[in-house]
Amino acid sequence: MWKLHTKLKLLTKRLSQWSRETIRNIHEQVINWEEKVQRLEELEIANNTEAERTETNKAHAEYICKIVEKRRRLHLDRIKNHKGKWITGEDKISKAAIRHFNGLFNLPASSLDPSILECITNRITDKENITLKDTPTEEEIKHAVFNLCAYSAAGPDDYNGTFFQSCWDIIKEDIIAFVLEFFRVLWKFDFCELWFDMILNLLSGI
């Protein structure tokens, strides 16, 4: 399972090196482009006519009016407190909001009576349960990979679905080996709940 993890880490370093050599420092490029835009804006201000300035000022005024109107609509003048009474004033509204969310996040711990589960009928047969535990085929693994969200990743600066889908022909052997090893380990530990949680934590970091 660590082979895929190690390869992806190595690839990350190589991509980072390639980025520095090819694209170079993106922060410096942003600064350079900001300076170019500023110079163009200065040229436009210096060369524009009275009519153009009037039109620009009018557009700015309309934009500001829209922003002010939007903020006015979003502004809270009053809310109802926990007793159902209307309250006004930023200080009172803030205290009411804090009280409300404190109540939500500090609810008393609830206990579940295990006997309730006896009322639930079995919806999965023994045959279906065995099928759920079967080791996935190569086609099933590929289907799962190509159903990943193209723009979602496990974490910051991580690989998204587009990477796995676009490079499938290159990385499929490693991905398939990883998934098969994952299921092999689960079977070895008899799907132990603690081990399952550990595996999920490991996957979230890859």
Coordinates of all heavy atoms in Angstrom, one line a residue, residues 25-112:
N25 N 8.8 31.6 -10.4 CA 8.1 32.1 -9.2 C 6.8 32.8 -9.6 O 6.8 33.8 -10.2 CB 9.0 33.1 -8.4 CG 8.4 33.4 -7.1 OD1 7.2 33.5 -6.9 ND2 9.3 33.6 -6.1
I26 N 5.7 32.1 -9.3 CA 4.4 32.7 -9.7 C 4.1 34.0 -9.0 O 3.4 34.8 -9.5 CB 3.3 31.7 -9.6 CG1 3.1 31.3 -8.1 CG2 3.5 30.5 -10.4 CD1 1.9 30.4 -7.8
H27 N 4.6 34.1 -7.8 CA 4.3 35.3 -7.0 C 5.0 36.5 -7.7 O 4.4 37.6 -7.7 CB 4.8 35.2 -5.6 CG 4.2 34.0 -4.9 ND1 2.8 34.0 -4.5 CD2 4.7 32.8 -4.4 CE1 2.5 32.9 -3.9 NE2 3.6 32.2 -3.8
E28 N 6.2 36.3 -8.2 CA 6.9 37.4 -8.9 C 6.1 37.8 -10.2 O 6.0 38.9 -10.6 CB 8.3 37.0 -9.2 CG 9.2 36.9 -8.0 CD 10.7 36.6 -8.4 OE1 10.9 36.4 -9.6 OE2 11.5 36.5 -7.5
Q29 N 5.6 36.7 -10.9 CA 4.9 37.0 -12.1 C 3.6 37.8 -11.8 O 3.2 38.7 -12.6 CB 4.5 35.7 -12.8 CG 5.7 34.9 -13.3 CD 5.3 33.8 -14.2 OE1 4.3 33.9 -14.9 NE2 6.1 32.7 -14.2
V30 N 3.0 37.5 -10.7 CA 1.7 38.2 -10.3 C 2.1 39.7 -10.1 O 1.4 40.6 -10.6 CB 1.1 37.6 -9.1 CG1 0.0 38.5 -8.5 CG2 0.5 36.3 -9.4
I31 N 3.2 39.9 -9.4 CA 3.6 41.3 -9.1 C 3.9 42.0 -10.5 O 3.6 43.2 -10.7 CB 4.9 41.3 -8.2 CG1 4.5 40.8 -6.8 CG2 5.4 42.7 -8.1 CD1 5.6 40.6 -5.9
N32 N 4.6 41.3 -11.4 CA 5.0 41.9 -12.7 C 3.7 42.3 -13.5 O 3.7 43.4 -14.1 CB 5.9 41.0 -13.5 CG 7.2 40.8 -12.9 OD1 7.7 41.7 -12.1 ND2 7.9 39.7 -13.1
W33 N 2.8 41.4 -13.5 CA 1.5 41.7 -14.2 C 0.7 42.8 -13.6 O 0.1 43.6 -14.3 CB 0.7 40.4 -14.4 CG 1.2 39.5 -15.5 CD1 1.9 38.3 -15.3 CD2 1.1 39.8 -16.9 NE1 2.2 37.8 -16.6 CE2 1.7 38.7 -17.5 CE3 0.5 40.8 -17.6 CZ2 1.7 38.6 -18.9 CZ3 0.5 40.7 -19.0 CH2 1.1 39.6 -19.6
E34 N 0.8 42.9 -12.3 CA 0.1 43.9 -11.6 C 0.7 45.3 -11.9 O 0.0 46.3 -12.1 CB 0.1 43.7 -10.0 CG -0.8 42.6 -9.5 CD -0.7 42.4 -8.0 OE1 0.3 43.0 -7.5 OE2 -1.5 41.8 -7.5
E35 N 2.0 45.3 -12.0 CA 2.7 46.6 -12.4 C 2.3 46.9 -13.9 O 2.1 48.1 -14.2 CB 4.2 46.4 -12.3 CG 4.7 46.3 -10.8 CD 6.1 46.0 -10.7 OE1 6.8 45.7 -11.8 OE2 6.7 46.0 -9.6
K36 N 2.2 45.9 -14.8 CA 1.9 46.2 -16.2 C 0.5 46.7 -16.2 O 0.2 47.7 -17.0 CB 2.0 44.9 -17.0 CG 3.4 44.5 -17.2 CD 3.5 43.2 -18.0 CE 4.9 42.7 -18.2 NZ 5.0 41.5 -19.0
V37 N -0.5 46.1 -15.5 CA -1.9 46.6 -15.5 C -1.9 48.0 -15.0 O -2.7 48.8 -15.5 CB -2.7 45.6 -14.7 CG1 -4.1 46.2 -14.5 CG2 -2.8 44.3 -15.3
Q38 N -1.2 48.3 -13.9 CA -1.2 49.6 -13.3 C -0.7 50.7 -14.3 O -1.3 51.8 -14.5 CB -0.3 49.7 -12.1 CG -0.4 51.0 -11.4 CD 0.4 51.0 -10.1 OE1 1.0 50.0 -9.7 NE2 0.4 52.1 -9.4
R39 N 0.4 50.3 -15.1 CA 0.9 51.3 -16.1 C -0.2 51.5 -17.2 O -0.4 52.6 -17.7 CB 2.2 50.7 -16.7 CG 3.4 50.8 -15.8 CD 4.7 50.7 -16.5 NE 4.8 49.3 -17.1 CZ 5.4 48.3 -16.5 NH1 5.9 48.5 -15.3 NH2 5.5 47.1 -17.1
L40 N -0.9 50.4 -17.6 CA -1.9 50.6 -18.6 C -3.1 51.4 -18.1 O -3.6 52.2 -18.9 CB -2.4 49.2 -19.0 CG -1.5 48.3 -19.8 CD1 -2.1 46.9 -20.0 CD2 -1.2 48.9 -21.2
E41 N -3.4 51.3 -16.8 CA -4.5 52.1 -16.3 C -4.1 53.5 -16.2 O -4.9 54.4 -16.5 CB -4.8 51.6 -14.9 CG -5.5 50.2 -14.8 CD -5.8 49.7 -13.4 OE1 -5.2 50.3 -12.5 OE2 -6.6 48.8 -13.3
E42 N -2.8 53.8 -15.9 CA -2.3 55.2 -15.9 C -2.4 55.8 -17.2 O -2.7 57.0 -17.4 CB -0.9 55.2 -15.3 CG -0.8 54.9 -13.8 CD 0.6 54.7 -13.3 OE1 1.5 54.8 -14.1 OE2 0.8 54.6 -12.1
L43 N -2.0 55.0 -18.3 CA -2.0 55.5 -19.6 C -3.5 55.8 -20.1 O -3.8 56.8 -20.7 CB -1.4 54.5 -20.6 CG 0.1 54.3 -20.6 CD1 0.5 53.2 -21.4 CD2 0.8 55.6 -21.0
E44 N -4.4 54.9 -19.6 CA -5.8 55.1 -20.0 C -6.3 56.4 -19.3 O -7.1 57.2 -20.0 CB -6.6 53.9 -19.6 CG -8.1 54.0 -20.0 CD -8.9 52.8 -19.5 OE1 -8.3 51.9 -18.9 OE2 -10.1 52.8 -19.8
I45 N -6.0 56.6 -18.1 CA -6.4 57.8 -17.4 C -5.9 59.1 -18.0 O -6.5 60.1 -18.1 CB -6.0 57.7 -15.9 CG1 -6.8 56.6 -15.2 CG2 -6.3 59.1 -15.2 CD1 -6.3 56.3 -13.8
A46 N -4.6 59.0 -18.4 CA -3.9 60.2 -19.0 C -4.5 60.5 -20.4 O -4.5 61.7 -20.8 CB -2.4 59.9 -19.1
N47 N -4.9 59.5 -21.1 CA -5.3 59.7 -22.5 C -6.9 59.8 -22.7 O -7.3 60.0 -23.9 CB -4.8 58.6 -23.4 CG -3.2 58.6 -23.4 OD1 -2.6 59.7 -23.3 ND2 -2.6 57.5 -23.5
N48 N -7.6 59.5 -21.7 CA -9.1 59.4 -22.0 C -9.7 60.8 -22.1 O -9.1 61.8 -21.6 CB -9.8 58.6 -20.9 CG -9.7 59.3 -19.5 OD1 -9.1 60.3 -19.4 ND2 -10.3 58.6 -18.5
T49 N -10.9 60.9 -22.6 CA -11.6 62.1 -22.9 C -12.5 62.4 -21.7 O -12.8 61.6 -20.9 CB -12.3 62.1 -24.2 OG1 -13.3 61.1 -24.1 CG2 -11.4 61.8 -25.3
E50 N -13.1 63.6 -21.8 CA -14.1 64.0 -20.7 C -15.3 63.1 -20.8 O -15.9 62.7 -19.7 CB -14.5 65.4 -21.0 CG -15.5 66.0 -19.9 CD -14.9 66.1 -18.5 OE1 -13.7 66.2 -18.4 OE2 -15.6 66.0 -17.5
A51 N -15.7 62.7 -22.0 CA -16.9 61.9 -22.1 C -16.6 60.5 -21.6 O -17.5 59.9 -20.9 CB -17.3 61.7 -23.6
E52 N -15.4 60.0 -21.8 CA -15.0 58.6 -21.2 C -15.0 58.7 -19.7 O -15.4 57.7 -19.1 CB -13.7 58.2 -21.8 CG -13.8 57.8 -23.3 CD -12.4 57.5 -23.9 OE1 -11.4 57.9 -23.2 OE2 -12.3 56.9 -24.9
R53 N -14.5 59.8 -19.2 CA -14.4 59.9 -17.7 C -15.8 59.9 -17.1 O -16.1 59.3 -16.1 CB -13.6 61.1 -17.3 CG -12.1 61.0 -17.5 CD -11.3 62.0 -16.8 NE -11.6 63.4 -17.3 CZ -11.0 63.9 -18.3 NH1 -10.0 63.3 -18.9 NH2 -11.3 65.2 -18.7
T54 N -16.7 60.7 -17.8 CA -18.1 60.8 -17.3 C -18.8 59.4 -17.3 O -19.4 59.0 -16.4 CB -18.9 61.7 -18.2 OG1 -18.2 63.0 -18.1 CG2 -20.3 61.9 -17.7
E55 N -18.5 58.6 -18.4 CA -19.1 57.3 -18.5 C -18.6 56.4 -17.5 O -19.3 55.6 -16.9 CB -18.9 56.8 -19.9 CG -19.6 55.5 -20.2 CD -21.1 55.7 -20.3 OE1 -21.6 56.8 -20.6 OE2 -21.9 54.7 -20.1
T56 N -17.3 56.5 -17.2 CA -16.6 55.6 -16.2 C -17.2 55.9 -14.8 O -17.5 55.0 -14.0 CB -15.1 55.8 -16.2 OG1 -14.6 55.4 -17.5 CG2 -14.4 54.9 -15.2
N57 N -17.3 57.2 -14.5 CA -17.8 57.6 -13.2 C -19.2 57.2 -13.0 O -19.6 56.8 -11.9 CB -17.7 59.1 -13.0 CG -16.2 59.6 -12.9 OD1 -15.4 58.9 -12.5 ND2 -16.0 60.9 -13.3
K58 N -20.0 57.2 -14.1 CA -21.4 56.8 -14.0 C -21.5 55.3 -13.7 O -22.3 54.9 -12.9 CB -22.1 57.1 -15.3 CG -23.6 56.7 -15.3 CD -24.2 57.0 -16.7 CE -25.6 56.6 -16.7 NZ -26.3 56.8 -18.1
A59 N -20.6 54.5 -14.4 CA -20.6 53.1 -14.1 C -20.2 52.8 -12.7 O -20.7 51.9 -12.1 CB -19.7 52.4 -15.1
H60 N -19.2 53.5 -12.2 CA -18.7 53.3 -10.8 C -19.8 53.6 -9.8 O -20.0 52.9 -8.9 CB -17.5 54.2 -10.5 CG -16.2 53.6 -11.2 ND1 -15.1 54.3 -11.2 CD2 -16.0 52.5 -11.8 CE1 -14.1 53.6 -11.9 NE2 -14.7 52.5 -12.2
A61 N -20.5 54.7 -10.1 CA -21.6 55.1 -9.2 C -22.7 54.0 -9.2 O -23.3 53.7 -8.1 CB -22.2 56.4 -9.6
E62 N -23.1 53.5 -10.3 CA -24.1 52.5 -10.4 C -23.7 51.2 -9.7 O -24.5 50.6 -9.0 CB -24.4 52.2 -11.9 CG -25.1 53.3 -12.6 CD -25.3 53.0 -14.1 OE1 -24.8 51.9 -14.5 OE2 -26.0 53.7 -14.8
Y63 N -22.4 50.9 -9.8 CA -21.9 49.7 -9.1 C -21.9 49.9 -7.6 O -22.4 49.0 -6.9 CB -20.4 49.4 -9.6 CG -19.7 48.3 -8.8 CD1 -20.0 47.0 -9.1 CD2 -18.8 48.6 -7.9 CE1 -19.4 46.0 -8.4 CE2 -18.1 47.6 -7.2 CZ -18.5 46.3 -7.4 OH -17.8 45.3 -6.7
I64 N -21.5 51.0 -7.1 CA -21.5 51.3 -5.7 C -23.0 51.3 -5.2 O -23.2 50.7 -4.1 CB -20.8 52.6 -5.4 CG1 -19.3 52.5 -5.7 CG2 -21.1 53.1 -4.0 CD1 -18.6 53.9 -5.6
C65 N -23.9 51.8 -5.9 CA -25.3 51.8 -5.5 C -25.8 50.4 -5.4 O -26.6 50.1 -4.4 CB -26.1 52.6 -6.5 SG -25.9 54.4 -6.4
K66 N -25.4 49.5 -6.3 CA -25.9 48.1 -6.2 C -25.3 47.4 -5.0 O -26.0 46.7 -4.3 CB -25.5 47.4 -7.5 CG -26.3 47.8 -8.7 CD -25.8 47.0 -10.0 CE -26.6 47.5 -11.2 NZ -26.2 46.8 -12.4
I67 N -24.0 47.7 -4.7 CA -23.4 47.1 -3.6 C -24.0 47.6 -2.3 O -24.3 46.8 -1.4 CB -21.9 47.4 -3.5 CG1 -21.2 46.8 -4.7 CG2 -21.2 47.0 -2.2 CD1 -21.2 45.3 -4.7
V68 N -24.3 48.9 -2.2 CA -24.9 49.4 -1.0 C -26.3 48.8 -0.8 O -26.7 48.4 0.3 CB -25.0 50.9 -1.1 CG1 -25.9 51.5 0.0 CG2 -23.6 51.6 -1.0
E69 N -27.1 48.7 -1.9 CA -28.4 48.1 -1.8 C -28.4 46.7 -1.4 O -29.2 46.2 -0.6 CB -29.1 48.2 -3.2 CG -30.5 47.6 -3.3 CD -31.5 48.3 -2.3 OE1 -31.3 49.4 -1.9 OE2 -32.5 47.6 -2.0
K70 N -27.4 45.9 -1.9 CA -27.3 44.5 -1.5 C -26.9 44.4 -0.1 O -27.5 43.5 0.6 CB -26.2 43.8 -2.4 CG -26.1 42.4 -2.2 CD -25.0 41.7 -3.1 CE -24.9 40.2 -2.9 NZ -23.9 39.6 -3.8
R71 N -26.0 45.2 0.4 CA -25.7 45.1 1.8 C -26.8 45.5 2.7 O -27.0 45.0 3.8 CB -24.5 46.0 2.1 CG -23.2 45.5 1.5 CD -22.0 46.4 1.8 NE -20.7 45.9 1.3 CZ -19.6 46.5 1.4 NH1 -19.5 47.7 2.0 NH2 -18.5 45.9 0.9
R72 N -27.6 46.5 2.2 CA -28.8 46.9 3.0 C -29.8 45.8 3.2 O -30.3 45.6 4.2 CB -29.4 48.1 2.3 CG -30.6 48.8 3.2 CD -31.3 49.8 2.4 NE -32.0 49.2 1.2 CZ -33.2 48.5 1.4 NH1 -33.8 48.4 2.6 NH2 -33.8 48.0 0.3
R73 N -30.0 45.0 2.1 CA -30.9 43.9 2.1 C -30.4 42.8 3.0 O -31.2 42.1 3.7 CB -31.2 43.4 0.7 CG -32.0 44.3 -0.2 CD -32.6 43.5 -1.4 NE -31.6 42.9 -2.1 CZ -31.0 43.4 -3.2 NH1 -31.3 44.6 -3.6 NH2 -30.0 42.7 -3.9
L74 N -29.1 42.6 3.1 CA -28.5 41.6 3.9 C -28.4 42.0 5.4 O -28.1 41.1 6.2 CB -27.1 41.1 3.3 CG -27.2 40.5 1.9 CD1 -25.7 40.2 1.5 CD2 -27.9 39.2 2.0
H75 N -28.5 43.2 5.7 CA -28.3 43.7 7.0 C -29.5 43.2 7.9 O -30.6 43.3 7.5 CB -28.2 45.2 7.0 CG -28.0 45.8 8.4 ND1 -26.8 45.6 9.1 CD2 -28.8 46.5 9.2 CE1 -26.9 46.2 10.3 NE2 -28.1 46.7 10.4
L76 N -29.1 42.8 9.1 CA -30.1 42.3 10.1 C -30.5 43.5 11.0 O -29.6 44.0 11.8 CB -29.6 41.1 10.9 CG -29.5 39.8 10.1 CD1 -28.9 38.7 11.1 CD2 -30.9 39.3 9.7
D77 N -31.7 43.9 11.0 CA -32.1 45.0 11.9 C -32.7 44.4 13.2 O -32.7 45.0 14.2 CB -33.2 45.9 11.2 CG -32.6 46.7 10.0 OD1 -31.5 47.1 10.2 OD2 -33.3 46.8 9.0
R78 N -33.3 43.2 13.0 CA -33.9 42.6 14.2 C -34.0 41.1 14.0 O -34.1 40.6 12.9 CB -35.3 43.2 14.5 CG -36.3 43.0 13.3 CD -37.6 43.4 13.7 NE -38.6 43.1 12.7 CZ -39.9 43.1 12.8 NH1 -40.4 43.5 14.0 NH2 -40.7 42.8 11.8
I79 N -34.0 40.3 15.1 CA -34.3 38.9 15.0 C -35.1 38.5 16.2 O -35.3 39.3 17.2 CB -32.9 38.1 15.0 CG1 -32.2 38.3 16.3 CG2 -32.1 38.4 13.8 CD1 -31.0 37.4 16.5
K80 N -35.6 37.3 16.2 CA -36.4 36.7 17.3 C -35.5 36.0 18.2 O -34.6 35.2 17.8 CB -37.5 35.8 16.8 CG -38.7 36.6 16.3 CD -39.9 35.6 15.9 CE -41.1 36.3 15.4 NZ -42.2 35.4 15.1
N81 N -35.6 36.2 19.5 CA -34.8 35.5 20.5 C -35.4 34.1 20.8 O -36.4 33.7 20.2 CB -34.5 36.3 21.7 CG -35.8 36.6 22.5 OD1 -36.9 36.1 22.2 ND2 -35.8 37.5 23.4
H82 N -34.9 33.4 21.8 CA -35.3 32.1 22.2 C -36.8 32.1 22.7 O -37.4 31.0 22.8 CB -34.4 31.4 23.2 CG -34.3 32.1 24.5 ND1 -33.7 33.4 24.6 CD2 -34.8 31.8 25.7 CE1 -33.7 33.8 25.9 NE2 -34.4 32.8 26.5
K83 N -37.2 33.3 23.1 CA -38.6 33.4 23.7 C -39.6 33.8 22.6 O -40.8 34.0 22.9 CB -38.6 34.4 24.8 CG -37.8 34.0 26.0 CD -37.8 35.0 27.1 CE -37.0 34.6 28.3 NZ -37.1 35.6 29.4
G84 N -39.1 34.0 21.4 CA -40.0 34.4 20.3 C -40.2 35.9 20.2 O -41.1 36.3 19.5
K85 N -39.4 36.7 21.0 CA -39.6 38.1 21.0 C -38.6 38.8 20.0 O -37.5 38.3 19.9 CB -39.5 38.7 22.4 CG -40.5 38.2 23.4 CD -40.4 38.8 24.7 CE -41.4 38.4 25.7 NZ -41.3 39.0 27.0
W86 N -39.1 39.8 19.4 CA -38.2 40.6 18.5 C -37.2 41.4 19.3 O -37.6 42.1 20.2 CB -39.0 41.5 17.5 CG -39.7 40.7 16.5 CD1 -41.0 40.5 16.4 CD2 -39.2 40.2 15.3 NE1 -41.4 39.7 15.3 CE2 -40.2 39.5 14.6 CE3 -37.9 40.1 14.7 CZ2 -40.1 38.9 13.4 CZ3 -37.7 39.4 13.5 CH2 -38.8 38.8 12.9
I87 N -35.9 41.4 18.9 CA -34.9 42.2 19.6 C -34.2 43.0 18.5 O -34.0 42.5 17.4 CB -33.9 41.4 20.4 CG1 -33.2 40.3 19.6 CG2 -34.6 40.7 21.6 CD1 -32.2 39.5 20.3
T88 N -33.7 44.2 18.9 CA -33.0 45.0 17.9 C -31.6 45.4 18.6 O -31.4 45.3 19.8 CB -33.8 46.3 17.6 OG1 -34.1 47.0 18.8 CG2 -35.1 45.9 16.9
G89 N -30.8 46.0 17.8 CA -29.5 46.4 18.3 C -28.4 45.4 18.1 O -28.7 44.2 18.3
E90 N -27.2 45.8 17.6 CA -26.2 44.8 17.3 C -25.7 44.0 18.5 O -25.5 42.8 18.4 CB -25.0 45.5 16.7 CG -25.2 46.1 15.3 CD -23.9 46.7 14.7 OE1 -22.9 46.6 15.4 OE2 -24.0 47.3 13.6
D91 N -25.7 44.7 19.6 CA -25.2 44.0 20.8 C -26.2 42.9 21.3 O -25.8 41.7 21.5 CB -25.0 45.0 22.0 CG -24.4 44.3 23.2 OD1 -23.3 43.7 23.1 OD2 -25.0 44.4 24.3
K92 N -27.5 43.2 21.3 CA -28.5 42.2 21.7 C -28.6 41.1 20.6 O -28.8 39.9 21.0 CB -29.8 42.9 21.8 CG -29.9 43.8 23.0 CD -31.3 44.4 23.2 CE -31.3 45.4 24.4 NZ -32.7 46.0 24.5
I93 N -28.5 41.4 19.3 CA -28.5 40.4 18.3 C -27.4 39.5 18.4 O -27.5 38.2 18.3 CB -28.6 41.1 16.9 CG1 -29.9 41.8 16.7 CG2 -28.4 40.1 15.8 CD1 -30.0 42.6 15.4
S94 N -26.2 40.0 18.7 CA -25.0 39.2 18.8 C -25.1 38.2 20.0 O -24.8 37.0 19.9 CB -23.7 40.0 19.0 OG -23.5 40.9 17.9
K95 N -25.6 38.7 21.1 CA -25.8 37.8 22.3 C -26.8 36.8 22.0 O -26.7 35.6 22.5 CB -26.2 38.7 23.5 CG -25.1 39.6 24.0 CD -25.6 40.4 25.2 CE -24.4 41.3 25.8 NZ -24.9 42.1 26.9
A96 N -27.9 37.1 21.3 CA -28.9 36.1 21.0 C -28.4 35.0 20.1 O -28.7 33.8 20.2 CB -30.1 36.8 20.3
A97 N -27.5 35.4 19.1 CA -26.9 34.4 18.2 C -26.0 33.5 18.9 O -26.0 32.3 18.7 CB -26.2 35.2 17.1
I98 N -25.2 34.1 19.8 CA -24.3 33.3 20.6 C -25.0 32.3 21.5 O -24.7 31.1 21.6 CB -23.3 34.2 21.5 CG1 -22.4 35.0 20.6 CG2 -22.5 33.3 22.5 CD1 -21.6 36.0 21.3
R99 N -26.1 32.8 22.1 CA -26.9 31.9 23.0 C -27.5 30.8 22.2 O -27.5 29.6 22.6 CB -28.0 32.7 23.6 CG -29.0 31.9 24.5 CD -30.2 32.8 24.9 NE -31.1 32.0 25.8 CZ -31.0 32.0 27.1 NH1 -30.1 32.7 27.7 NH2 -31.9 31.2 27.8
H100 N -28.0 31.1 21.0 CA -28.6 30.1 20.1 C -27.6 29.0 19.7 O -27.9 27.8 19.9 CB -29.2 30.7 18.9 CG -29.7 29.8 17.8 ND1 -30.9 29.1 18.0 CD2 -29.2 29.4 16.7 CE1 -31.1 28.3 17.0 NE2 -30.1 28.4 16.1
F101 N -26.4 29.4 19.3 CA -25.5 28.4 18.8 C -24.8 27.6 20.0 O -24.4 26.5 19.8 CB -24.5 29.0 17.9 CG -25.0 29.3 16.5 CD1 -25.3 30.6 16.2 CD2 -25.2 28.3 15.6 CE1 -25.8 30.9 14.9 CE2 -25.7 28.6 14.3 CZ -26.0 29.9 14.0
N102 N -24.7 28.3 21.1 CA -24.2 27.6 22.3 C -25.2 26.4 22.7 O -24.7 25.3 23.0 CB -24.1 28.5 23.5 CG -22.7 29.2 23.4 OD1 -21.8 28.8 22.8 ND2 -22.6 30.4 24.1
G103 N -26.4 26.7 22.5 CA -27.4 25.7 22.8 C -27.4 24.5 21.8 O -27.5 23.4 22.2
L104 N -27.1 24.9 20.5 CA -27.0 23.8 19.5 C -25.8 22.9 19.7 O -25.9 21.7 19.6 CB -26.9 24.4 18.1 CG -28.2 25.0 17.6 CD1 -27.9 25.6 16.2 CD2 -29.3 24.0 17.5
F105 N -24.7 23.5 20.1 CA -23.4 22.7 20.2 C -23.2 22.2 21.6 O -22.2 21.5 21.8 CB -22.2 23.6 19.8 CG -22.2 24.0 18.4 CD1 -22.3 25.4 18.0 CD2 -22.2 23.1 17.4 CE1 -22.4 25.7 16.7 CE2 -22.2 23.4 16.0 CZ -22.3 24.8 15.7
N106 N -24.1 22.4 22.5 CA -23.9 21.8 23.8 C -25.2 21.1 24.3 O -25.6 21.1 25.4 CB -23.6 23.0 24.8 CG -22.3 23.6 24.6 OD1 -21.3 23.1 25.0 ND2 -22.3 24.8 24.0
L107 N -25.7 20.3 23.3 CA -26.9 19.5 23.6 C -26.5 18.4 24.5 O -25.3 17.9 24.4 CB -27.5 19.0 22.3 CG -28.1 20.0 21.4 CD1 -28.6 19.4 20.1 CD2 -29.3 20.7 22.1
P108 N -27.4 17.9 25.4 CA -27.0 16.8 26.3 C -26.8 15.5 25.4 O -27.4 15.3 24.4 CB -28.2 16.6 27.2 CG -29.4 17.3 26.4 CD -28.7 18.4 25.7
A109 N -25.9 14.7 25.9 CA -25.5 13.4 25.2 C -26.8 12.5 25.1 O -27.4 12.3 26.2 CB -24.4 12.7 25.8
S110 N -27.0 12.0 24.0 CA -28.2 11.1 23.8 C -27.7 9.6 23.9 O -26.6 9.3 23.4 CB -28.9 11.3 22.5 OG -28.0 11.2 21.4
S111 N -28.5 8.7 24.4 CA -28.2 7.3 24.5 C -29.1 6.5 23.6 O -30.3 6.9 23.5 CB -28.3 6.8 25.9 OG -29.6 7.0 26.4
L112 N -28.5 5.5 22.9 CA -29.3 4.7 22.0 C -29.6 3.4 22.6 O -28.7 2.7 23.1 CB -28.5 4.6 20.7 CG -29.2 3.7 19.6 CD1 -30.5 4.3 19.1 CD2 -28.2 3.5 18.4

